[in-house]
Amino acid sequence: MGCEELTRLTGNGNGECGEDDCPNVYRSASGSSVVQGKVSMAFEPPRGEELVEIPESVLREAVRALGW
């Protein structure tokens, strides 16, 4: 899946990264969420998965963008 296949829900340039692409929440064409953030080493996830940390403010922004 390429970035062009995702709808960016967060990161309007007012967050901690300014206009850079981190951290962010995206929506895929299938309706699932794709989260971008700093790699977390909290525990070893199952093969094929990664853990990322994102600020609460990014989650709140994503919820507003989705109208939840």
Side-chain angles (χ1 to χ4, degrees):
M1 167 184 331
C3 190
E4 64 279 351
E5 299 175 60
L6 300 173
T7 301
R8 187 172 170 167
L9 300 176
T10 60
N12 60 10
N14 296 328
E16 67 182 46
C17 290
E19 295 198 19
D20 290 341
D21 283 340
C22 67
N24 277 301
V25 177
Y26 302 86
R27 183 169 229 180
S28 72
S30 67
S32 64
S33 297
V34 177
V35 179
Q36 176 183 347
K38 184 184 271 188
V39 174
S40 173
M41 301 302 209
F43 65 89
E44 186 67 34
R47 185 179 175 154
E49 296 182 4
E50 294 288 336
L51 302 176
V52 298
E53 293 183 34
I54 59 170
E56 181 180 330
S57 61
V58 173
L59 290 176
R60 290 178 181 276
E61 186 179 350
V63 167
R64 281 192 300 273
L66 290 168
W68 292 352

